[in-house]
């Protein structure tokens, strides 16, 4: 009996499922694009005071679709990434706007994302056979924007690679 229980416990991670997260939205040239990249999370190490202010504004009980506790709206203007809106989410109370001045006292408009050096990835192209995470299909590739201190320094296309997944470097 103990042998069977041990095997079941070892198999549990294989049976577990996860919930897809809510993406951030980026407005660029009049279009809204969605990304699962999380530029605001970089503030944890690059702008600790801003990160602490964000955390103090988030609910303590979070939903499985919002483990971060928030979704963010962004814009790209002249290759500069700017935070334009922020909303917290609680399973019991729903979504509520967080004023940007909570993150940056005195802010009256978008906040330049100078803490962010990394990549934003956007699905592009027709779907191809997967699996990819929760889906049996994958995007044929990703358009990837590379940032240094909140400024886009280059864009590149990464095709789907069965070995590395969609949008991964080979």
């Amino acid at each position: 009996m103990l042998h069977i229980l041990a095997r079941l416990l070892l198999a549990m991670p294989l049976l577990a499922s996860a919930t897809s997260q809510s993406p951030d939205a980026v407005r660029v040239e009049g279009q809204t694009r969605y990304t699962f990249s999380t530029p605001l999370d970089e503030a944890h190490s690059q702008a600790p005071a801003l990160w602490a202010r964000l955390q103090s504004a988030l609910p303590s009980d979070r939903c499985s679709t919002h483990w971060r506790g928030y979704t963010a709206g962004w814009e790209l203007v002249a290759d500069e990434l700017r935070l334009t809106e922020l909303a917290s989410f609680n399973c019991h109370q729903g979504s509520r706007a967080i004023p940007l001045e909570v993150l940056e006292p005195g802010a009256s408009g978008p906040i330049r994302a100078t803490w962010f050096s990394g990549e934003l990835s956007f699905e592009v192209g027709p779907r191809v056979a997967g699996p990819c995470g929760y889906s049996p299909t994958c995007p044929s590739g990703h358009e990837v924007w590379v940032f240094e201190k909140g400024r886009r320094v280059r864009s590149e296309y990464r095709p789907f690679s069965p070995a590395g997944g969609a949008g991964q470097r080979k």
Side-chain angles (χ1 to χ4, degrees):
M1 181 68 167
L2 188 56
H3 186 278
I4 293 171
L5 182 59
R7 283 187 180 192
L8 284 173
L9 288 173
L10 289 173
M12 288 303 285
L14 300 174
L15 301 173
S17 61
T19 305
S20 181
Q21 298 298 293
S22 295
D24 282 0
V26 182
R27 294 274 305 156
V28 59
E29 297 175 358
Q31 294 184 319
T32 301
R33 301 184 70 184
Y34 297 94
T35 181
F36 288 101
S37 305
T38 55
L40 194 51
D41 288 357
E42 284 286 311
H44 182 265
S45 61
Q46 301 302 313
L50 183 141
W51 183 255
R53 290 188 294 272
L54 169 63
Q55 293 304 306
S56 71
L58 298 178
S60 58
D61 56 334
R62 299 181 183 170
C63 295
S64 62
T65 59
H66 289 83
W67 285 124
R68 296 180 297 157
Y70 71 88
T71 54
W74 304 88
E75 66 183 4
L76 187 69
V77 177
D79 287 325
E80 184 176 84
L81 185 64
R82 300 174 185 172
L83 179 65
T84 58
E85 60 186 314
L86 190 60
S88 68
F89 191 86
N90 171 299
C91 286
H92 307 292
Q93 299 170 344
S95 180
R96 71 172 177 81
I98 298 174
L100 294 181
E101 65 183 13
V102 168
L103 299 185
E104 191 171 289
S108 60
I111 299 173
R112 292 177 48 228
T114 57
W115 63 84
F116 180 60
S117 293
E119 299 178 346
L120 294 184
S121 179
F122 303 93
E123 293 182 354
V124 294
R127 306 295 291 181
V128 297
C132 275
Y134 314 106
S135 175
T137 62
C138 303
S140 56
H142 278 97
E143 181 179 347
V144 178
W145 298 346
V146 181
F147 289 84
E148 290 180 12
K149 296 183 179 177
R151 181 160 294 282
R152 182 171 61 174
V153 294
R154 74 177 183 278
S155 298
E156 57 190 60
Y157 173 78
R158 295 185 191 157
F160 172 72
S161 164
Q168 301 296 313
R169 289 187 176 150
K170 293 181 182 178

